Amino acid sequence: MNMHGTTSSYVIEPSAIPSIPVAGTDKMFPVHRVYCVGRNYAAHAVEMGHDPDKEPPFFFQKNPDNLDTTGEFPYPPASNDVHHEIEMVVALKSGGTDIPVEKALDCVFGYGVGLDMTRRDLQGKAKDMGRPWEVGKAFEASAPCTPLVPASSTGHPSQGAIWLDVNGQRKQTGDLNQMIWKVPEMISYLSGLFTLMPGDIILSGTPAGVGAVVRGDVLRGHIDGVGDLEVRVV
């Protein structure tokens, strides 16, 4: 693939580069790929019918343009069972292959609060048939998130509350220290499977309490030391 052509060399107009605002600045963070960690909190693994002691976390992807910072989540078509999953967003400023765990945090630009919105009914059908999950995970606006906060401001959060309220009622709650695989470990592991790049995003898993949303719901998410996210389902 030629990544260096000018606009005039393309046969159609290129899409805009997906990007996330950087908090407190007028700068944008350009997104390369979006990796998601599955079942990375033990209690959530149990509620999804799995034994976290026997099954290590795994990874799937969303599309970069699924990220959305508008504060609205349009209820998607083809589903009657769309679930919220609150997650810490990890944004990489550098990458590579086979990154040692002890050097992994050097790759991190910053953090945010995000949602992995999921068409659970379509995901369930895909699971039952042994098919990929894209129809359940990688649809339009399926990753609402906050602006990114640079690690120079937040440090590297490894503990602290992570929660989600729906219409003022607490639905998901956990602590970052409950992650089965910590952020440095997931970066290191991913770099053994893919060449990580500046602009890569990792959604680091969700705590227990996932559940369905309907139009009109207001979702408020929080991660200690990172920030707050508010999204209305429309």
Side-chain angles (χ1 to χ4, degrees), residues 12-232:
I12 60 172
E13 188 70 19
S15 298
I17 297 173
S19 58
I20 307 173
V22 177
T25 77
D26 59 358
K27 303 293 187 181
M28 302 293 289
F29 179 90
V31 178
H32 177 247
R33 291 179 180 167
V34 180
Y35 299 99
C36 306
V37 187
R39 297 194 283 268
N40 198 30
Y41 288 74
H44 174 60
V46 170
E47 78 176 351
M48 297 304 291
H50 298 269
D51 183 347
D53 295 324
K54 293 183 179 179
E55 182 184 67
F58 62 93
F59 299 88
F60 58 92
Q61 291 188 38
K62 285 181 179 276
N63 299 313
D65 61 358
N66 295 157
L67 293 160
D68 188 276
T69 58
T70 64
E72 291 189 342
F73 171 71
Y75 199 95
S79 177
N80 295 305
D81 191 24
V82 177
H83 282 208
H84 55 75
E85 298 188 6
I86 185 75
E87 314 213 0
M88 184 168 74
V89 176
V90 183
L92 303 188
K93 64 183 179 182
S94 61
T97 57
D98 299 319
I99 299 167
V101 171
E102 61 271 16
K103 295 185 177 180
L105 290 180
D106 294 341
C107 299
V108 176
F109 168 78
Y111 299 90
V113 183
L115 286 164
D116 170 15
M117 302 302 292
T118 302
R119 293 194 283 205
R120 191 73 74 201
D121 45 1
L122 300 189
Q123 182 196 27
K125 290 176 183 177
K127 285 181 180 179
D128 291 343
M129 300 178 75
R131 293 179 175 177
W133 290 6
E134 280 88 352
V135 293
K137 291 287 191 177
F139 55 93
E140 282 66 32
S142 61
C145 67
T146 63
L148 298 173
V149 181
S152 56
S153 300
T154 63
H156 295 287
S158 59
Q159 61 182 9
I162 174 173
W163 53 257
L164 181 80
D165 290 351
V166 179
N167 303 325
Q169 294 190 340
R170 188 65 40 92
K171 296 294 185 179
Q172 289 187 259
T173 187
D175 193 288
L176 297 177
N177 65 17
Q178 296 169 344
M179 287 186 186
I180 299 169
W181 284 18
K182 313 305 183 186
V183 172
E185 296 168 328
M186 61 182 81
I187 292 172
S188 178
Y189 184 90
L190 272 171
S191 74
L193 296 172
F194 304 95
T195 300
L196 296 182
M197 297 288 288
D200 283 344
I201 293 288
I202 303 172
L203 298 182
S204 55
T206 194
V210 301
V213 302
V214 297
R215 287 183 178 87
D217 282 349
V218 176
L219 314 181
R220 291 188 174 92
H222 170 86
I223 300 175
D224 281 358
V226 179
D228 295 273
L229 172 66
E230 181 170 323
V231 176
R232 180 178 294 274

